[in-house]
Short mmCIF file of all heavy atoms in Angstrom, two decimals:
data_model
loop_
_atom_site.label_atom_id
_atom_site.label_comp_id
_atom_site.label_asym_id
_atom_site.label_seq_id
_atom_site.Cartn_x
_atom_site.Cartn_y
_atom_site.Cartn_z
N MET O 1 0.84 -1.22 0.00
CA MET O 1 0.00 0.00 0.00
C MET O 1 0.87 1.25 0.00
O MET O 1 1.73 1.40 0.85
CB MET O 1 -0.89 -0.01 1.24
CG MET O 1 -2.35 0.09 0.87
SD MET O 1 -3.41 -0.25 2.27
CE MET O 1 -3.39 1.36 3.04
N PRO O 2 0.62 2.14 -0.93
CA PRO O 2 1.41 3.37 -0.92
C PRO O 2 1.05 4.23 0.29
O PRO O 2 -0.11 4.44 0.57
CB PRO O 2 1.03 4.07 -2.23
CG PRO O 2 -0.25 3.46 -2.64
CD PRO O 2 -0.40 2.13 -1.96
N SER O 3 2.03 4.67 1.01
CA SER O 3 1.76 5.47 2.21
C SER O 3 2.36 6.87 2.09
O SER O 3 2.58 7.53 3.07
CB SER O 3 2.30 4.76 3.44
OG SER O 3 3.69 4.62 3.30
N ASP O 4 2.61 7.26 0.88
CA ASP O 4 3.15 8.60 0.65
C ASP O 4 2.10 9.66 0.92
O ASP O 4 1.18 9.84 0.13
CB ASP O 4 3.57 8.73 -0.82
CG ASP O 4 4.99 8.25 -1.04
OD1 ASP O 4 5.58 7.73 -0.07
OD2 ASP O 4 5.48 8.41 -2.15
N LYS O 5 2.26 10.34 2.04
CA LYS O 5 1.33 11.43 2.33
C LYS O 5 2.12 12.73 2.33
O LYS O 5 3.21 12.81 2.86
CB LYS O 5 0.66 11.22 3.68
CG LYS O 5 -0.33 10.07 3.67
CD LYS O 5 -1.70 10.53 3.22
CE LYS O 5 -2.64 9.38 3.04
NZ LYS O 5 -3.63 9.24 4.09
N ILE O 6 1.50 13.71 1.75
CA ILE O 6 2.16 14.99 1.57
C ILE O 6 1.22 16.07 2.10
O ILE O 6 0.00 15.92 1.99
CB ILE O 6 2.48 15.21 0.07
CG1 ILE O 6 3.47 14.12 -0.38
CG2 ILE O 6 3.04 16.58 -0.20
CD1 ILE O 6 3.59 13.99 -1.87
N ILE O 7 1.79 17.12 2.63
CA ILE O 7 0.96 18.23 3.10
C ILE O 7 0.88 19.28 1.99
O ILE O 7 1.89 19.79 1.53
CB ILE O 7 1.55 18.87 4.37
CG1 ILE O 7 1.81 17.83 5.46
CG2 ILE O 7 0.64 19.99 4.88
CD1 ILE O 7 0.58 17.21 6.05
N CYS O 8 -0.32 19.57 1.58
CA CYS O 8 -0.52 20.63 0.59
C CYS O 8 -0.08 21.96 1.19
O CYS O 8 -0.49 22.31 2.30
CB CYS O 8 -1.98 20.67 0.16
SG CYS O 8 -2.39 22.09 -0.87
N SER O 9 0.71 22.71 0.48
CA SER O 9 1.25 23.95 1.05
C SER O 9 0.23 25.08 1.01
O SER O 9 0.48 26.15 1.54
CB SER O 9 2.53 24.35 0.33
OG SER O 9 2.33 24.35 -1.05
N ILE O 10 -0.92 24.86 0.41
CA ILE O 10 -1.95 25.91 0.39
C ILE O 10 -3.02 25.64 1.42
O ILE O 10 -3.30 26.48 2.27
CB ILE O 10 -2.54 26.05 -1.03
CG1 ILE O 10 -1.44 26.56 -1.97
CG2 ILE O 10 -3.74 27.00 -1.02
CD1 ILE O 10 -1.88 26.69 -3.39
N CYS O 11 -3.64 24.46 1.40
CA CYS O 11 -4.72 24.18 2.35
C CYS O 11 -4.23 23.47 3.61
O CYS O 11 -5.00 23.31 4.55
CB CYS O 11 -5.85 23.39 1.69
SG CYS O 11 -5.39 21.73 1.16
N GLN O 12 -2.97 23.05 3.62
CA GLN O 12 -2.36 22.39 4.79
C GLN O 12 -3.01 21.05 5.10
O GLN O 12 -2.87 20.52 6.20
CB GLN O 12 -2.43 23.28 6.06
CG GLN O 12 -1.90 24.68 5.86
CD GLN O 12 -0.41 24.72 5.52
OE1 GLN O 12 0.37 23.97 6.08
NE2 GLN O 12 -0.03 25.56 4.59
N HIS O 13 -3.72 20.49 4.15
CA HIS O 13 -4.29 19.17 4.36
C HIS O 13 -3.33 18.10 3.87
O HIS O 13 -2.57 18.33 2.95
CB HIS O 13 -5.63 19.03 3.61
CG HIS O 13 -6.76 19.71 4.29
ND1 HIS O 13 -7.39 20.80 3.76
CD2 HIS O 13 -7.36 19.45 5.47
CE1 HIS O 13 -8.35 21.19 4.60
NE2 HIS O 13 -8.34 20.40 5.65
N GLU O 14 -3.43 16.97 4.54
CA GLU O 14 -2.63 15.84 4.11
C GLU O 14 -3.27 15.24 2.87
O GLU O 14 -4.46 14.97 2.84
CB GLU O 14 -2.60 14.82 5.24
CG GLU O 14 -1.37 13.96 5.22
CD GLU O 14 -1.39 12.98 6.38
OE1 GLU O 14 -2.23 12.07 6.36
OE2 GLU O 14 -0.57 13.16 7.30
N ILE O 15 -2.47 15.03 1.87
CA ILE O 15 -3.01 14.50 0.62
C ILE O 15 -2.17 13.33 0.15
O ILE O 15 -0.96 13.32 0.33
CB ILE O 15 -3.06 15.58 -0.48
CG1 ILE O 15 -1.71 16.33 -0.55
CG2 ILE O 15 -4.20 16.56 -0.23
CD1 ILE O 15 -1.57 17.21 -1.77
N PRO O 16 -2.79 12.35 -0.47
CA PRO O 16 -2.02 11.27 -1.08
C PRO O 16 -1.22 11.81 -2.26
O PRO O 16 -1.69 12.73 -2.95
CB PRO O 16 -3.08 10.28 -1.57
CG PRO O 16 -4.40 10.81 -1.16
CD PRO O 16 -4.22 12.21 -0.70
N ALA O 17 -0.06 11.26 -2.47
CA ALA O 17 0.80 11.77 -3.53
C ALA O 17 0.09 11.79 -4.88
O ALA O 17 0.33 12.66 -5.70
CB ALA O 17 2.06 10.93 -3.62
N ALA O 18 -0.82 10.87 -5.08
CA ALA O 18 -1.52 10.79 -6.36
C ALA O 18 -2.42 12.00 -6.62
O ALA O 18 -2.82 12.25 -7.75
CB ALA O 18 -2.36 9.52 -6.42
N TYR O 19 -2.74 12.75 -5.56
CA TYR O 19 -3.62 13.91 -5.73
C TYR O 19 -2.88 15.20 -6.01
O TYR O 19 -3.49 16.23 -6.16
CB TYR O 19 -4.49 14.11 -4.49
CG TYR O 19 -5.63 13.11 -4.37
CD1 TYR O 19 -5.73 12.04 -5.24
CD2 TYR O 19 -6.58 13.27 -3.38
CE1 TYR O 19 -6.75 11.13 -5.11
CE2 TYR O 19 -7.62 12.36 -3.24
CZ TYR O 19 -7.70 11.28 -4.12
OH TYR O 19 -8.72 10.39 -3.99
N LEU O 20 -1.60 15.11 -6.05
CA LEU O 20 -0.84 16.31 -6.38
C LEU O 20 -1.18 16.78 -7.78
O LEU O 20 -1.31 15.98 -8.70
CB LEU O 20 0.66 16.02 -6.31
CG LEU O 20 1.24 15.96 -4.90
CD1 LEU O 20 2.71 15.55 -4.99
CD2 LEU O 20 1.12 17.30 -4.21
N ARG O 21 -1.28 18.06 -7.91
CA ARG O 21 -1.70 18.57 -9.22
C ARG O 21 -0.66 18.30 -10.29
O ARG O 21 -0.97 18.23 -11.47
CB ARG O 21 -2.01 20.07 -9.12
CG ARG O 21 -0.81 20.94 -8.79
CD ARG O 21 -0.35 21.70 -10.00
NE ARG O 21 0.85 22.46 -9.69
CZ ARG O 21 1.67 22.92 -10.62
NH1 ARG O 21 1.40 22.72 -11.89
NH2 ARG O 21 2.73 23.58 -10.28
N VAL O 22 0.57 18.10 -9.86
CA VAL O 22 1.66 17.82 -10.77
C VAL O 22 1.37 16.58 -11.64
O VAL O 22 1.76 16.50 -12.79
CB VAL O 22 2.95 17.67 -9.93
CG1 VAL O 22 3.81 16.51 -10.36
CG2 VAL O 22 3.70 18.98 -9.92
N HIS O 23 0.61 15.65 -11.05
CA HIS O 23 0.30 14.43 -11.79
C HIS O 23 -0.81 14.63 -12.80
O HIS O 23 -1.13 13.73 -13.55
CB HIS O 23 -0.12 13.33 -10.80
CG HIS O 23 1.02 12.87 -9.96
ND1 HIS O 23 1.84 11.83 -10.30
CD2 HIS O 23 1.49 13.35 -8.79
CE1 HIS O 23 2.76 11.67 -9.37
NE2 HIS O 23 2.57 12.58 -8.44
N GLN O 24 -1.45 15.76 -12.74
CA GLN O 24 -2.61 15.98 -13.59
C GLN O 24 -2.35 17.09 -14.61
O GLN O 24 -3.26 17.63 -15.18
CB GLN O 24 -3.81 16.42 -12.73
CG GLN O 24 -3.84 15.76 -11.40
CD GLN O 24 -4.96 14.74 -11.31
OE1 GLN O 24 -5.82 14.71 -12.18
NE2 GLN O 24 -4.94 13.92 -10.29
N GLU O 25 -1.11 17.38 -14.75
CA GLU O 25 -0.80 18.57 -15.53
C GLU O 25 -0.78 18.31 -17.03
O GLU O 25 0.24 18.06 -17.63
CB GLU O 25 0.54 19.13 -15.08
CG GLU O 25 0.57 20.62 -15.18
CD GLU O 25 1.74 21.21 -14.42
OE1 GLU O 25 2.49 20.46 -13.80
OE2 GLU O 25 1.88 22.43 -14.49
N ARG O 26 -1.94 18.36 -17.58
CA ARG O 26 -2.04 18.19 -19.03
C ARG O 26 -2.69 19.42 -19.61
O ARG O 26 -3.28 19.40 -20.68
CB ARG O 26 -2.88 16.95 -19.36
CG ARG O 26 -2.02 15.72 -19.53
CD ARG O 26 -2.89 14.50 -19.74
NE ARG O 26 -3.54 14.11 -18.50
CZ ARG O 26 -4.60 13.33 -18.42
NH1 ARG O 26 -5.15 12.87 -19.53
NH2 ARG O 26 -5.13 13.00 -17.28
N GLU O 27 -2.58 20.50 -18.85
CA GLU O 27 -3.31 21.69 -19.23
C GLU O 27 -2.47 22.61 -20.11
O GLU O 27 -1.25 22.54 -20.16
CB GLU O 27 -3.76 22.43 -17.98
CG GLU O 27 -4.76 21.63 -17.22
CD GLU O 27 -4.90 22.13 -15.79
OE1 GLU O 27 -4.08 21.76 -14.97
OE2 GLU O 27 -5.82 22.90 -15.56
N ASN O 28 -3.15 23.48 -20.71
CA ASN O 28 -2.56 24.54 -21.50
C ASN O 28 -1.51 25.31 -20.69
O ASN O 28 -1.77 25.72 -19.56
CB ASN O 28 -3.72 25.44 -21.90
CG ASN O 28 -3.27 26.61 -22.74
OD1 ASN O 28 -2.44 27.40 -22.34
ND2 ASN O 28 -3.86 26.73 -23.91
N LYS O 29 -0.35 25.50 -21.25
CA LYS O 29 0.75 26.14 -20.52
C LYS O 29 0.42 27.57 -20.09
O LYS O 29 0.85 28.01 -19.03
CB LYS O 29 2.00 26.17 -21.41
CG LYS O 29 2.74 24.85 -21.34
CD LYS O 29 4.17 25.00 -21.83
CE LYS O 29 4.95 23.76 -21.48
NZ LYS O 29 5.65 23.14 -22.58
N GLU O 30 -0.32 28.27 -20.87
CA GLU O 30 -0.69 29.64 -20.50
C GLU O 30 -1.61 29.64 -19.29
O GLU O 30 -1.48 30.48 -18.40
CB GLU O 30 -1.40 30.34 -21.66
CG GLU O 30 -0.43 30.90 -22.67
CD GLU O 30 -1.17 31.49 -23.85
OE1 GLU O 30 -2.25 32.08 -23.67
OE2 GLU O 30 -0.65 31.36 -24.97
N ILE O 31 -2.54 28.69 -19.26
CA ILE O 31 -3.44 28.59 -18.12
C ILE O 31 -2.67 28.21 -16.87
O ILE O 31 -2.88 28.77 -15.80
CB ILE O 31 -4.57 27.57 -18.41
CG1 ILE O 31 -5.48 28.11 -19.52
CG2 ILE O 31 -5.37 27.26 -17.14
CD1 ILE O 31 -6.55 27.16 -19.99
N VAL O 32 -1.73 27.29 -17.03
CA VAL O 32 -0.90 26.88 -15.90
C VAL O 32 -0.13 28.08 -15.37
O VAL O 32 -0.12 28.35 -14.17
CB VAL O 32 0.06 25.73 -16.31
CG1 VAL O 32 1.09 25.47 -15.22
CG2 VAL O 32 -0.74 24.46 -16.59
N ALA O 33 0.50 28.84 -16.25
CA ALA O 33 1.29 29.99 -15.83
C ALA O 33 0.41 31.04 -15.15
O ALA O 33 0.77 31.63 -14.13
CB ALA O 33 2.01 30.61 -17.03
N TYR O 34 -0.78 31.24 -15.68
CA TYR O 34 -1.69 32.22 -15.12
C TYR O 34 -2.18 31.78 -13.74
O TYR O 34 -2.26 32.57 -12.81
CB TYR O 34 -2.89 32.41 -16.06
CG TYR O 34 -3.74 33.59 -15.69
CD1 TYR O 34 -3.40 34.87 -16.14
CD2 TYR O 34 -4.86 33.44 -14.88
CE1 TYR O 34 -4.17 35.96 -15.79
CE2 TYR O 34 -5.63 34.53 -14.52
CZ TYR O 34 -5.29 35.79 -14.98
OH TYR O 34 -6.05 36.86 -14.62
N THR O 35 -2.48 30.50 -13.62
CA THR O 35 -2.95 29.96 -12.34
C THR O 35 -1.85 30.06 -11.29
O THR O 35 -2.11 30.44 -10.14
CB THR O 35 -3.40 28.50 -12.51
OG1 THR O 35 -4.39 28.45 -13.54
CG2 THR O 35 -3.99 27.94 -11.23
N ILE O 36 -0.63 29.78 -11.67
CA ILE O 36 0.50 29.92 -10.75
C ILE O 36 0.59 31.36 -10.26
O ILE O 36 0.78 31.62 -9.07
CB ILE O 36 1.81 29.47 -11.44
CG1 ILE O 36 1.83 27.94 -11.55
CG2 ILE O 36 3.05 29.96 -10.67
CD1 ILE O 36 2.93 27.39 -12.44
N GLY O 37 0.40 32.30 -11.15
CA GLY O 37 0.42 33.72 -10.77
C GLY O 37 -0.68 34.06 -9.78
O GLY O 37 -0.45 34.78 -8.81
N LEU O 38 -1.87 33.51 -10.00
CA LEU O 38 -3.00 33.76 -9.10
C LEU O 38 -2.72 33.20 -7.70
O LEU O 38 -3.00 33.85 -6.69
CB LEU O 38 -4.27 33.08 -9.62
CG LEU O 38 -5.04 33.77 -10.72
CD1 LEU O 38 -6.24 32.91 -11.10
CD2 LEU O 38 -5.52 35.14 -10.28
N ILE O 39 -2.17 32.00 -7.64
CA ILE O 39 -1.87 31.40 -6.35
C ILE O 39 -0.82 32.24 -5.63
O ILE O 39 -0.93 32.51 -4.44
CB ILE O 39 -1.38 29.94 -6.51
CG1 ILE O 39 -2.50 29.07 -7.10
CG2 ILE O 39 -0.95 29.36 -5.16
CD1 ILE O 39 -2.11 27.64 -7.43
N LYS O 40 0.17 32.71 -6.35
CA LYS O 40 1.24 33.50 -5.73
C LYS O 40 0.73 34.83 -5.19
O LYS O 40 1.27 35.37 -4.24
CB LYS O 40 2.39 33.72 -6.72
CG LYS O 40 3.25 32.48 -6.81
CD LYS O 40 4.44 32.69 -7.72
CE LYS O 40 5.33 31.45 -7.67
NZ LYS O 40 6.35 31.47 -8.72
N GLU O 41 -0.32 35.36 -5.80
CA GLU O 41 -0.90 36.60 -5.28
C GLU O 41 -1.46 36.38 -3.88
O GLU O 41 -1.39 37.25 -3.03
CB GLU O 41 -2.03 37.07 -6.20
CG GLU O 41 -1.54 37.96 -7.30
CD GLU O 41 -2.68 38.42 -8.19
OE1 GLU O 41 -3.81 38.60 -7.70
OE2 GLU O 41 -2.43 38.61 -9.40
N SER O 42 -2.08 35.22 -3.65
CA SER O 42 -2.66 34.93 -2.35
C SER O 42 -1.67 34.27 -1.40
O SER O 42 -1.84 34.33 -0.19
CB SER O 42 -3.85 33.99 -2.50
OG SER O 42 -4.75 34.47 -3.46
N HIS O 43 -0.67 33.63 -1.95
CA HIS O 43 0.31 32.90 -1.13
C HIS O 43 1.71 33.26 -1.61
O HIS O 43 2.33 32.50 -2.35
CB HIS O 43 0.09 31.39 -1.25
CG HIS O 43 -1.28 30.94 -0.83
ND1 HIS O 43 -1.58 30.61 0.48
CD2 HIS O 43 -2.43 30.83 -1.52
CE1 HIS O 43 -2.87 30.28 0.54
NE2 HIS O 43 -3.41 30.40 -0.64
N PRO O 44 2.18 34.42 -1.18
CA PRO O 44 3.46 34.94 -1.71
C PRO O 44 4.64 33.99 -1.51
O PRO O 44 5.56 34.02 -2.31
CB PRO O 44 3.68 36.24 -0.94
CG PRO O 44 2.33 36.62 -0.42
CD PRO O 44 1.57 35.34 -0.21
N GLU O 45 4.60 33.18 -0.45
CA GLU O 45 5.76 32.31 -0.27
C GLU O 45 5.60 30.97 -0.98
O GLU O 45 6.48 30.14 -0.96
CB GLU O 45 6.19 32.17 1.18
CG GLU O 45 5.20 31.90 2.38
CD GLU O 45 3.86 32.59 2.36
OE1 GLU O 45 2.94 32.05 1.78
OE2 GLU O 45 3.70 33.64 2.99
N TRP O 46 4.48 30.78 -1.61
CA TRP O 46 4.27 29.55 -2.35
C TRP O 46 5.14 29.53 -3.61
O TRP O 46 5.34 30.57 -4.25
CB TRP O 46 2.79 29.46 -2.73
CG TRP O 46 2.42 28.22 -3.50
CD1 TRP O 46 2.11 27.00 -2.99
CD2 TRP O 46 2.30 28.10 -4.93
NE1 TRP O 46 1.83 26.12 -4.00
CE2 TRP O 46 1.93 26.77 -5.20
CE3 TRP O 46 2.49 28.98 -6.00
CZ2 TRP O 46 1.74 26.29 -6.49
CZ3 TRP O 46 2.29 28.51 -7.29
CH2 TRP O 46 1.91 27.18 -7.53
N SER O 47 5.65 28.37 -3.92
CA SER O 47 6.38 28.25 -5.18
C SER O 47 5.74 27.11 -5.97
O SER O 47 5.14 26.20 -5.40
CB SER O 47 7.86 27.98 -4.91
OG SER O 47 8.25 26.77 -5.50
N GLU O 48 5.85 27.18 -7.26
CA GLU O 48 5.17 26.19 -8.09
C GLU O 48 5.69 24.79 -7.87
O GLU O 48 5.06 23.81 -8.28
CB GLU O 48 5.27 26.58 -9.57
CG GLU O 48 6.70 26.63 -10.06
CD GLU O 48 6.75 27.22 -11.47
OE1 GLU O 48 6.59 26.47 -12.43
OE2 GLU O 48 6.92 28.44 -11.57
N ASP O 49 6.83 24.66 -7.22
CA ASP O 49 7.36 23.33 -6.91
C ASP O 49 6.85 22.79 -5.59
O ASP O 49 7.09 21.65 -5.25
CB ASP O 49 8.90 23.38 -6.87
CG ASP O 49 9.47 23.73 -8.24
OD1 ASP O 49 8.90 23.28 -9.24
OD2 ASP O 49 10.47 24.44 -8.29
N ASP O 50 6.16 23.65 -4.83
CA ASP O 50 5.61 23.18 -3.56
C ASP O 50 4.47 22.21 -3.82
O ASP O 50 3.77 22.33 -4.83
CB ASP O 50 5.06 24.36 -2.75
CG ASP O 50 6.18 25.18 -2.14
OD1 ASP O 50 7.34 24.75 -2.20
OD2 ASP O 50 5.88 26.27 -1.61
N PRO O 51 4.27 21.27 -2.91
CA PRO O 51 3.15 20.34 -3.09
C PRO O 51 1.81 21.08 -3.05
O PRO O 51 1.56 21.88 -2.15
CB PRO O 51 3.28 19.36 -1.92
CG PRO O 51 4.25 19.96 -0.97
CD PRO O 51 5.06 20.96 -1.72
N THR O 52 1.01 20.84 -4.03
CA THR O 52 -0.29 21.51 -4.15
C THR O 52 -1.30 20.47 -4.59
O THR O 52 -1.08 19.78 -5.57
CB THR O 52 -0.21 22.63 -5.21
OG1 THR O 52 0.89 23.48 -4.89
CG2 THR O 52 -1.48 23.43 -5.26
N CYS O 53 -2.40 20.38 -3.85
CA CYS O 53 -3.38 19.36 -4.21
C CYS O 53 -4.23 19.83 -5.38
O CYS O 53 -4.33 21.02 -5.68
CB CYS O 53 -4.25 19.00 -3.01
SG CYS O 53 -5.38 20.28 -2.48
N GLN O 54 -4.85 18.87 -6.00
CA GLN O 54 -5.66 19.17 -7.17
C GLN O 54 -6.82 20.10 -6.83
O GLN O 54 -7.22 20.95 -7.62
CB GLN O 54 -6.17 17.86 -7.78
CG GLN O 54 -6.86 18.01 -9.13
CD GLN O 54 -5.90 18.51 -10.20
OE1 GLN O 54 -4.73 18.19 -10.21
NE2 GLN O 54 -6.41 19.33 -11.11
N LYS O 55 -7.34 19.94 -5.62
CA LYS O 55 -8.48 20.75 -5.19
C LYS O 55 -8.11 22.24 -5.15
O LYS O 55 -8.85 23.09 -5.66
CB LYS O 55 -8.91 20.27 -3.81
CG LYS O 55 -10.35 20.54 -3.49
CD LYS O 55 -10.70 19.86 -2.18
CE LYS O 55 -11.68 20.70 -1.40
NZ LYS O 55 -11.82 20.24 -0.02
N CYS O 56 -6.98 22.54 -4.53
CA CYS O 56 -6.53 23.93 -4.47
C CYS O 56 -6.24 24.45 -5.87
O CYS O 56 -6.60 25.56 -6.23
CB CYS O 56 -5.28 24.05 -3.61
SG CYS O 56 -5.61 23.81 -1.87
N TRP O 57 -5.59 23.62 -6.63
CA TRP O 57 -5.25 24.02 -8.00
C TRP O 57 -6.53 24.37 -8.78
O TRP O 57 -6.62 25.42 -9.42
CB TRP O 57 -4.49 22.88 -8.69
CG TRP O 57 -4.11 23.21 -10.09
CD1 TRP O 57 -4.71 22.76 -11.21
CD2 TRP O 57 -3.05 24.08 -10.51
NE1 TRP O 57 -4.08 23.30 -12.32
CE2 TRP O 57 -3.07 24.11 -11.91
CE3 TRP O 57 -2.09 24.84 -9.83
CZ2 TRP O 57 -2.16 24.86 -12.66
CZ3 TRP O 57 -1.19 25.59 -10.58
CH2 TRP O 57 -1.23 25.58 -11.97
N ASP O 58 -7.52 23.48 -8.71
CA ASP O 58 -8.77 23.70 -9.43
C ASP O 58 -9.46 24.97 -8.96
O ASP O 58 -10.06 25.68 -9.75
CB ASP O 58 -9.70 22.51 -9.24
CG ASP O 58 -9.27 21.31 -10.08
OD1 ASP O 58 -8.43 21.49 -10.98
OD2 ASP O 58 -9.79 20.22 -9.84
N GLN O 59 -9.38 25.22 -7.67
CA GLN O 59 -10.01 26.41 -7.12
C GLN O 59 -9.46 27.67 -7.79
O GLN O 59 -10.20 28.56 -8.18
CB GLN O 59 -9.71 26.45 -5.63
CG GLN O 59 -10.68 27.28 -4.85
CD GLN O 59 -10.33 27.18 -3.36
OE1 GLN O 59 -10.03 26.09 -2.86
NE2 GLN O 59 -10.33 28.28 -2.69
N TYR O 60 -8.16 27.73 -7.95
CA TYR O 60 -7.56 28.90 -8.58
C TYR O 60 -7.75 28.87 -10.08
O TYR O 60 -7.95 29.90 -10.71
CB TYR O 60 -6.07 28.99 -8.23
CG TYR O 60 -5.87 29.50 -6.83
CD1 TYR O 60 -5.72 28.64 -5.75
CD2 TYR O 60 -5.88 30.88 -6.57
CE1 TYR O 60 -5.56 29.11 -4.47
CE2 TYR O 60 -5.74 31.35 -5.30
CZ TYR O 60 -5.58 30.47 -4.24
OH TYR O 60 -5.45 30.95 -2.97
N ARG O 61 -7.69 27.70 -10.64
CA ARG O 61 -7.83 27.61 -12.09
C ARG O 61 -9.23 28.03 -12.52
O ARG O 61 -9.42 28.68 -13.54
CB ARG O 61 -7.54 26.17 -12.56
CG ARG O 61 -7.39 26.07 -14.06
CD ARG O 61 -6.89 24.71 -14.44
NE ARG O 61 -7.79 23.68 -13.96
CZ ARG O 61 -8.86 23.25 -14.65
NH1 ARG O 61 -9.12 23.75 -15.81
NH2 ARG O 61 -9.63 22.33 -14.15
N HIS O 62 -10.22 27.66 -11.73
CA HIS O 62 -11.59 28.02 -12.08
C HIS O 62 -11.85 29.51 -11.94
O HIS O 62 -12.71 30.05 -12.61
CB HIS O 62 -12.59 27.22 -11.23
CG HIS O 62 -12.56 25.76 -11.59
ND1 HIS O 62 -13.04 24.78 -10.75
CD2 HIS O 62 -12.11 25.12 -12.69
CE1 HIS O 62 -12.88 23.59 -11.33
NE2 HIS O 62 -12.31 23.77 -12.50
N THR O 63 -11.08 30.15 -11.07
CA THR O 63 -11.16 31.60 -10.97
C THR O 63 -10.82 32.23 -12.31
O THR O 63 -11.38 33.21 -12.75
CB THR O 63 -10.16 32.11 -9.91
OG1 THR O 63 -10.36 31.38 -8.71
CG2 THR O 63 -10.34 33.58 -9.63
N ASN O 64 -9.88 31.57 -12.97
CA ASN O 64 -9.37 32.05 -14.24
C ASN O 64 -10.33 31.71 -15.39
O ASN O 64 -10.49 32.48 -16.33
CB ASN O 64 -8.01 31.39 -14.47
CG ASN O 64 -7.42 31.69 -15.83
OD1 ASN O 64 -7.68 32.74 -16.41
ND2 ASN O 64 -6.62 30.79 -16.32
N ALA O 65 -10.99 30.57 -15.30
CA ALA O 65 -11.76 30.03 -16.42
C ALA O 65 -13.19 30.53 -16.42
O ALA O 65 -14.12 29.74 -16.55
CB ALA O 65 -11.70 28.51 -16.39
N LYS O 66 -13.39 31.78 -16.27
CA LYS O 66 -14.75 32.31 -16.25
C LYS O 66 -15.26 32.51 -17.67
O LYS O 66 -14.51 32.92 -18.52
CB LYS O 66 -14.78 33.64 -15.51
CG LYS O 66 -15.01 33.38 -14.03
CD LYS O 66 -15.05 34.72 -13.27
CE LYS O 66 -15.01 34.43 -11.77
NZ LYS O 66 -14.47 35.56 -11.05
ZN1 ZN B 101 -4.72 21.93 -1.01
#
């Protein structure tokens, strides 16, 4: 059983490694770059290499996809 648990640096919840947004990154590069910018506005110390769950990612991405 995989026991890799990671703390999302935005919501501080423990997430299974499979839920990291990095594993789901098949999105348009411009949208990814824009979403990263949005997250950084709210979380200045966040870096795109920090663990981020898909839920947090989607939350910011949907802000963009109006
Ligand atoms: Zn999160």
Side-chain angles (χ1 to χ4, degrees):
M1 237 168 82
S3 61
D4 273 6
K5 290 273 173 105
I6 297 165
I7 307 292
C8 171
S9 51
I10 294 178
C11 65
Q12 309 296 320
H13 283 113
E14 206 179 69
I15 48 168
Y19 285 7
L20 283 175
R21 65 106 184 161
V22 137
H23 291 269
Q24 324 252 348
E25 213 166 357
R26 267 176 287 162
E27 294 163 278
N28 180 302
K29 277 198 168 127
E30 278 176 36
I31 292 175
V32 170
Y34 191 85
T35 305
I36 286 169
L38 280 179
I39 296 175
K40 282 183 175 168
E41 272 180 32
S42 309
H43 301 271
E45 46 322 87
W46 180 85
S47 121
E48 62 188 273
D49 296 323
D50 285 351
T52 307
C53 69
Q54 189 64 35
K55 205 173 145 192
C56 289
W57 180 257
D58 284 347
Q59 202 177 317
Y60 283 95
R61 192 170 58 87
H62 292 160
T63 309
N64 174 29
K66 271 180 191 155

